[in-house]
Amino acid sequence: VSPAFHTPRHFHLFNTADIPFRFHMRVPGDGTLLKREFEVVPSSGTILPHGKQKIQVDFIPLTTRAYNLQVVMDVEGVGEQMASVQIKAQSIVPEVTVSTYELDFGECFLRYRYKKVIELVNHSDLPAKFELQPQDEISRCVASYDVDYAKGTIEPFLSRTITVSFTTERLEKVQLPMWFKIVGHEDTPLEIQCIANGIGPRLVLKPPAVKWGDIDVLKHSERTLKVTNDSLIPADIRTLVMKRGSRFKVSVPSLTLGPGEVANLKLDAFLDDTQPFKDELVLVVTEGGQVKVPLTAKGTGTTVWTDQFDLSTQPRVDMGLQFSSRMCKLTFTIKNRGPKSQTLTWYNGTAMEAAYRAKQIAEGKKKKQPGEQEEKLPQGDTFKVLVNGSPEPYALEPDATATVDIFGFCKKPGSITEKLCCRSKMDKENRVIIEMRVTAEFVEPVVEFSSPSLDFLFDYDTSKPDAPVEGSTQQVTVTNPCPLPLQCNIKSSGLPFTVEPSDIDLPPGASQVLDVLFDPAYQGTKQSEEVKQQLNVQFNMGPQIEPKNEKAPHGFHPKKGIVDLSAQINYPNLKIDRSELKFGAVLNDTTRRIKVRCTNTSTIDASFSWSFVVTDPDAKKRPSSSGTSVQSGRVDPPQPINAVFDILPTRSFLAPGESEDVEFVFYGHANHKYKAVAQCEVQGGPEYTVKLEGEASSIQYKFDRTSLDLGNILYDKFAEDELVLHNTGKVRYEWAVRSNEVPRPTIVTCVPPAGVVLPGEKVKIQVQFLPGMPTQVSAAFTVHVAHFDPQSIVISGKGIFPHVAIDLPRLDPTTYARFLNAAQAELGFFGGGMDTARTEGMPSATTRTIATDYDQARLTTAGGETAYSGAGVPPRTAPPRTARPPTVSMEMFVQTNPYVRQLRAEGDCQCMREYILEQVREGELE
């Protein structure tokens, strides 16, 4: 038998006994589960007495070998292997061959199914089973195959035809094995090689090259390319032009053509330079390679382009109606569609021509013909060009764009036409490429009013004091005679006038009625005044005004529409020459009065009255007080307002132009400060307030010192020192110096001699002192402050004078000795407690009182004569002494001892003093 084939055999089982039995059939040595090769049907059952049972044995060999087994029967309840049947078999694999071991499919379009036929031939007398081994997933990425019969049976000595379908998934050559497994010979399957050459779609192009010839630059020119898919599979095509920034373009970026389908591709040439252009159109076929089509064209014309004007001619640009004194603008975009950079320079051709003509006239090249009128030269300053916001030459790179703004501005109305030119510099070429004539009609915004002015009058009616103040309204009509619509902003210079409406839009020829409202009580102060204002109509010139211009600045046109407004407002009014009265600090329990001038400055009779403003009901008629009684040391209660301030008169009447004085009185209560507000109420008019402030206090002062010591000063020269007088209180006071009581010859003067010191301030008094005598001088003068007792100031100093010591005899030794004696007493040389060190070393000087040697030593002149005998000096008792040996000579002692020199100097001072006193006495006698 052949492996895997089902071979049945059967036999019968007989029950020869008189009783039934139950049996179980099995094949010992057979495999288990999926490896079983024998199956007994039925494998168990019951046979009735003398009955029989057909038993079938199914055999499916799994391997090639010889079989020698038994089918045994087990009888339930009796025993096992009660009977058996011998099984013998031989499993043989038939010989099978294939008609070809190589299938060559040739060129195969990708993913297109190709078919070929093979035959499996069975050369044995047994049937054979075949099965196509499944293809692995990895190889399916390269190619895939399939058969119409993946498994089957080949009858003995017959063949089986199988159709193989093959699909390649990859370009170029593909070789893929395919195996057929013969059951029983699984280890040696039949191998068949599938060979193919994978190819993609094929295209046929007509024409093979596209030529435009000469065409205009910056203009589109089309050609058609016929594309045919000459293949059995769809063709996915992407189209592209080889060069970046190519002047050639294809109509579709991609397309799909079915097998045999035809498509017409539109090719567009848009040249940006006057030169030959070459490029290639590449048709990229998915999995089919590239097909290149040569493209050639030559451009003629210019490469600077704009979509708003035909630059090949001289375009005329009309900007239409525009407002004067408002920037108008026309914007367009130019593009350099050439491959070379161009430097563009815009200029006003009209201005250049005017300058050239003016130069010709100035040089005398253009002579004026007889009867010829003087030529009016164009200005050429109305329009200007900015490229990307700059007036400078602009380098326009290839394929770059620039925004050209034509700005026009004219302050005067009228029609203006000027020529604007653009010069291009590119390599060695420099020429004018754009000339355009720009025209604009400039008009001024203007409105017309039905009346040039409006007058208002208000007089207060004193007969109706309680009647409310009512305003008045007048109307004026405004009309737009301008050919352009106006957006008007209407307002007055301010109150008391208001206008409704304040914003209006006036189409050409339209009118609008305006209501002008006058409010005489606009301030609420009831002040008389004459108001002169204007009703201004301003014309908005912002970006949104027709014609629109986003570059126009926000603002108004300098021209305005004006209606004069005037109003006379008459209330009863007063003029009070002072609004604040500060009485200052007055002396306790005194009074101060201040007069204020009141004048009726209006044309209405004025009746008025005075009162005090009281804000706190509990403090009615009481001014604010911030002082306390210093003398009593307790807080005094606030005084009623009429006990502090008073006004005379409290009521009055003034005709227009009349004046009168109003007296304000302040009563100074001791050590108190008061503030109050006086209010003047005018019937039908405003209220006037006068702030009142006063304070009462005592005088307080102090000197920085009461004695002045000037030290050593020349007796006949003035010396100065400073005395400071402070006002430490709140009341001003007067002061004066009395220095004429100082006895002569001493002189004391003060600068200033008198004055006034304000509260919290001080005065510096320069005290000049002349001793008059060469000795210690002390004097006193007085300073009188207000009503206080005079303050005595003591001034002292020592009068000195320059002198020299000369060892010459005096004219009158007796008198000089008296002066020396007085000098000795003045200096205290022989007084108690005298320092002995002053005379130490003096020769024969043991007694310092009346010793002749000592006196003679002190007074010896250069000739050795005795000039002083001590006459007139009372005798003194010499104290005990101890003799000391002399240390220096008498002459040396007299010359070097400083106390001798000091004694002589003091003697001279005594002499000078006596002389000066005699001169003073003689002067007084005379």
Side-chain angles (χ1 to χ4, degrees):
V1 294
S2 296
F5 277 92
H6 176 253
T7 304
R9 295 288 186 271
H10 62 273
F11 62 91
H12 287 85
L13 181 62
F14 295 93
N15 182 3
T16 60
D18 294 332
I19 60 174
F21 67 89
R22 184 169 181 79
F23 65 91
H24 297 278
M25 306 298 294
R26 57 187 176 87
V27 178
D30 192 8
T32 60
L33 299 177
L34 296 179
K35 294 183 178 182
R36 291 178 59 190
E37 297 175 291
F38 296 94
E39 185 177 2
V40 180
V41 181
S43 61
S44 62
T46 301
I47 303 177
L48 297 176
H50 304 288
K52 66 178 180 179
Q53 176 68 48
K54 183 179 180 180
I55 303 298
Q56 180 174 323
V57 180
D58 294 330
F59 175 43
I60 302 176
L62 298 179
T63 59
T64 56
R65 66 184 183 91
Y67 293 86
N68 189 6
L69 300 173
Q70 290 181 341
V71 178
V72 298
M73 180 186 67
D74 297 331
V75 177
E76 188 177 324
V78 177
E80 295 181 352
Q81 297 184 3
M82 298 299 294
S84 64
V85 176
Q86 190 74 26
I87 299 175
K88 290 185 178 182
Q90 182 69 37
S91 176
I92 300 173
V93 179
E95 181 184 356
V96 179
T97 60
V98 65
S99 60
T100 179
Y101 291 96
E102 187 176 286
L103 286 178
D104 190 354
F105 291 89
E107 287 187 343
C108 297
F109 289 107
L110 297 179
R111 289 175 294 279
Y112 185 80
R113 186 183 295 271
Y114 290 85
K115 297 182 180 180
K116 280 186 175 294
V117 177
I118 60 173
E119 288 187 350
L120 297 179
V121 182
N122 186 357
H123 298 281
S124 66
D125 58 351
L126 293 175
K129 282 190 176 183
F130 67 91
E131 183 179 354
L132 179 65
Q133 289 189 354
Q135 185 180 358
D136 60 272
E137 291 298 328
I138 296 178
S139 64
R140 288 183 181 274
C141 298
V142 179
S144 62
Y145 54 82
D146 197 5
V147 295
D148 52 353
Y149 298 104
K151 60 174 65 175
T153 301
I154 308 174
E155 298 298 329
F157 300 110
L158 293 179
S159 62
R160 184 72 177 266
T161 301
I162 298 175
T163 301
V164 179
S165 299
F166 187 80
T167 304
T168 180
E169 301 287 343
R170 191 175 67 180
L171 295 173
E172 299 180 351
K173 186 175 182 180
V174 176
Q175 184 172 350
L176 188 66
M178 180 175 61
W179 286 279
F180 280 95
K181 180 178 65 174
I182 305 299
V183 178
H185 282 181
E186 286 83 355
D187 296 336
T188 56
L190 297 177
E191 181 180 354
I192 302 172
Q193 293 290 336
C194 297
I195 302 173
N197 185 21
I199 61 174
R202 291 175 178 172
L203 301 181
V204 177
L205 306 179
K206 187 177 181 180
V210 181
K211 299 179 181 180
W212 275 265
D214 292 340
I215 60 175
D216 292 334
V217 297
L218 307 182
K219 291 185 179 180
H220 295 278
S221 179
E222 286 189 354
R223 297 291 185 271
T224 302
L225 177 65
K226 184 178 180 181
V227 182
T228 304
N229 181 8
D230 187 19
S231 58
L232 300 176
I233 58 175
D236 293 330
I237 306 170
R238 289 188 299 111
T239 62
L240 57 92
V241 181
M242 197 68 179
K243 294 180 180 179
R244 177 178 296 180
S246 175
R247 282 72 173 174
F248 302 97
K249 295 187 181 301
V250 63
S251 59
V252 291
S254 62
L255 71 159
T256 301
L257 296 180
E261 188 177 354
V262 178
N264 292 323
L265 295 181
K266 299 295 183 181
L267 301 178
D268 179 74
F270 189 84
L271 305 185
D272 57 2
D273 202 358
T274 55
Q275 64 179 15
F277 289 89
K278 294 182 180 181
D279 209 334
E280 287 183 333
L281 172 66
V282 180
L283 302 179
V284 181
V285 183
T286 303
E287 299 175 331
Q290 298 180 352
V291 181
K292 297 183 178 180
V293 180
L295 307 176
T296 58
K298 183 178 180 181
T300 59
T302 181
T303 59
V304 177
W305 172 89
T306 178
D307 60 350
Q308 298 187 23
F309 310 107
D310 186 2
L311 300 181
S312 61
T313 61
Q314 292 185 355
R316 302 186 69 85
V317 180
D318 188 3
M319 300 182 71
L321 290 171
Q322 301 288 341
F323 282 112
S324 63
S325 298
R326 178 179 185 258
M327 186 71 70
C328 60
K329 188 187 77 167
L330 175 68
T331 302
F332 62 92
T333 302
I334 60 174
K335 184 175 184 179
N336 181 8
R337 296 192 173 181
K340 302 175 183 177
S341 174
Q342 301 186 52
T343 301
L344 305 180
T345 304
W346 285 86
Y347 60 93
N348 191 311
T350 303
M352 183 173 289
E353 292 174 2
Y356 179 73
R357 292 179 188 176
K359 184 178 180 181
Q360 283 185 326
I361 294 174
E363 294 176 353
K365 293 182 180 180
K366 186 175 181 180
K367 296 182 179 180
K368 183 178 180 181
Q369 300 297 329
E372 181 182 0
Q373 296 182 355
E374 185 177 353
E375 181 181 4
K376 184 178 181 181
L377 298 178
Q379 297 299 320
D381 58 354
T382 300
F383 300 103
K384 65 178 181 179
V385 178
L386 299 182
V387 181
N388 284 356
S390 174
E392 301 297 326
Y394 185 79
L396 192 61
E397 300 297 330
D399 203 36
T401 60
T403 300
V404 179
D405 295 323
I406 300 177
F407 290 97
F409 184 84
C410 185
K411 293 184 178 181
K412 297 180 180 180
S415 179
I416 305 295
T417 299
E418 293 179 357
K419 181 173 69 174
L420 300 179
C421 305
C422 177
R423 180 176 295 276
S424 172
K425 183 178 181 182
M426 180 175 58
D427 293 339
K428 297 181 180 180
E429 184 181 10
N430 190 352
R431 62 188 178 93
V432 176
I433 61 172
I434 300 175
E435 286 187 357
M436 59 175 60
R437 294 190 176 273
V438 182
T439 302
E441 181 73 24
F442 291 95
V443 297
E444 281 188 342
V446 63
V447 292
E448 296 176 350
F449 296 98
S450 59
S451 176
S453 62
L454 298 177
D455 299 322
F456 298 85
L457 175 63
F458 172 79
D459 285 325
Y460 176 78
D461 190 356
T462 56
S463 63
K464 300 177 181 179
D466 297 330
V469 178
E470 296 182 355
S472 59
T473 302
Q474 296 187 32
Q475 291 184 337
V476 63
T477 302
V478 58
T479 304
N480 177 17
C482 181
L484 288 174
L486 298 177
Q487 188 180 94
C488 303
N489 177 264
I490 307 171
K491 61 180 180 180
S492 65
S493 303
L495 294 175
F497 302 105
T498 55
V499 185
E500 294 180 358
S502 59
D503 294 298
I504 60 174
D505 294 334
L506 289 178
S511 299
Q512 177 74 38
V513 177
L514 304 178
D515 292 330
V516 181
L517 289 76
F518 167 63
D519 180 15
Y522 72 104
Q523 289 186 343
T525 59
K526 299 182 180 181
Q527 294 286 347
S528 298
E529 61 178 326
E530 183 180 0
V531 182
K532 288 187 178 295
Q533 295 184 4
Q534 289 181 336
L535 178 68
N536 295 321
V537 178
Q538 295 180 302
F539 307 105
N540 188 3
M541 294 287 112
Q544 301 303 319
I545 302 302
E546 293 293 338
K548 295 183 178 181
N549 177 14
E550 69 277 3
K551 294 295 184 180
H554 291 276
F556 298 98
H557 197 277
K559 188 175 182 62
K560 299 179 181 180
I562 297 175
V563 176
D564 292 326
L565 303 177
S566 64
Q568 183 66 43
I569 304 173
N570 295 319
Y571 285 99
N573 282 178
L574 296 179
K575 179 183 178 182
I576 302 175
D577 60 358
R578 298 181 68 175
S579 61
E580 185 176 5
L581 295 179
K582 291 187 177 181
F583 293 90
V586 302
L587 193 60
N588 289 334
D589 300 321
T590 60
T591 301
R592 186 178 181 187
R593 299 172 181 269
I594 299 178
K595 289 186 178 181
V596 176
R597 190 74 171 175
C598 295
T599 304
N600 184 354
T601 58
S602 66
T603 60
I604 310 295
D605 293 339
S607 297
F608 61 94
S609 62
W610 288 92
S611 62
F612 292 103
V613 177
V614 179
T615 57
D616 186 1
D618 297 333
K620 190 173 183 181
K621 294 187 177 181
R622 293 180 183 270
S624 61
S625 174
S626 59
T628 58
S629 176
V630 177
Q631 297 177 355
S632 62
R634 57 183 176 83
V635 177
D636 293 337
Q639 300 293 329
I641 193 169
N642 53 9
V644 178
F645 297 102
D646 199 3
I647 304 173
L648 299 174
T650 58
R651 295 181 182 273
S652 187
F653 172 85
L654 291 176
E658 290 185 347
S659 300
E660 74 171 1
D661 290 333
V662 178
E663 188 176 49
F664 290 81
V665 185
F666 171 64
Y667 302 100
H669 296 275
N671 300 311
H672 278 73
K673 182 177 182 180
Y674 296 95
K675 293 182 181 180
V677 177
Q679 179 174 283
C680 179
E681 298 180 3
V682 182
Q683 182 179 355
E687 296 178 350
Y688 303 91
T689 58
V690 178
K691 294 181 180 179
L692 306 177
E693 183 177 346
E695 183 178 3
S697 182
S698 59
I699 296 176
Q700 299 177 12
Y701 71 93
K702 71 173 182 178
F703 290 92
D704 63 336
R705 50 185 171 169
T706 58
S707 62
L708 304 175
D709 186 2
L710 278 69
N712 293 331
I713 57 178
L714 294 175
Y715 81 97
D716 59 345
K717 300 293 185 182
F718 279 98
E720 290 187 357
D721 202 351
E722 186 176 83
L723 179 66
V724 180
L725 174 59
H726 297 266
N727 186 348
T728 59
K730 300 180 180 180
V731 182
R732 62 190 293 275
Y733 58 80
E734 296 178 353
W735 61 273
V737 178
R738 300 289 185 267
S739 60
N740 53 4
E741 299 175 357
V742 177
R744 296 291 181 172
T746 302
I747 300 175
V748 177
T749 61
C750 293
V751 178
V756 176
V757 185
L758 298 178
E761 295 186 0
K762 62 183 178 180
V763 62
K764 294 181 180 180
I765 303 173
Q766 298 294 329
V767 181
Q768 299 175 346
F769 177 59
L770 185 141
M773 292 186 298
T775 185
Q776 182 71 32
V777 178
S778 178
F781 63 93
T782 59
V783 180
H784 295 258
V785 177
H787 58 280
F788 295 98
D789 293 335
Q791 174 67 50
S792 178
I793 305 297
V794 177
I795 185 168
S796 61
K798 184 176 182 180
I800 62 174
F801 63 94
H803 62 280
V804 295
I806 302 174
D807 287 340
L808 293 176
R810 305 296 180 175
L811 293 177
D812 188 357
T814 304
T815 305
Y816 185 63
R818 180 170 54 84
F819 292 145
L820 287 178
N821 218 19
Q824 177 177 315
E826 180 73 22
L827 295 176
F829 277 172
F830 298 102
M834 172 182 149
D835 189 356
T836 57
R838 296 183 178 183
T839 58
E840 187 171 346
M842 188 179 293
S844 303
T846 57
T847 302
R848 308 295 173 87
T849 55
I850 57 173
T852 304
D853 292 342
Y854 174 73
D855 294 338
Q856 188 174 6
R858 293 187 295 121
L859 303 175
T860 299
T861 61
E865 295 293 335
T866 301
Y868 174 57
S869 61
V873 179
R876 300 180 181 177
T877 303
R881 55 197 173 122
T882 304
R884 297 181 182 178
T887 58
V888 294
S889 65
M890 178 60 70
E891 294 181 358
M892 181 62 65
F893 174 78
V894 172
Q895 293 178 2
T896 60
N897 193 289
Y899 300 102
V900 176
R901 294 198 300 272
Q902 183 179 2
L903 184 64
R904 288 180 176 178
E906 183 63 27
D908 293 338
C909 288
Q910 294 290 335
C911 181
M912 181 69 71
R913 185 185 313 164
E914 185 174 295
Y915 172 77
I916 292 172
L917 292 175
E918 289 179 358
Q919 294 295 321
V920 171
R921 285 193 295 271
E922 291 177 0
E924 291 177 352
L925 293 176
E926 292 177 358

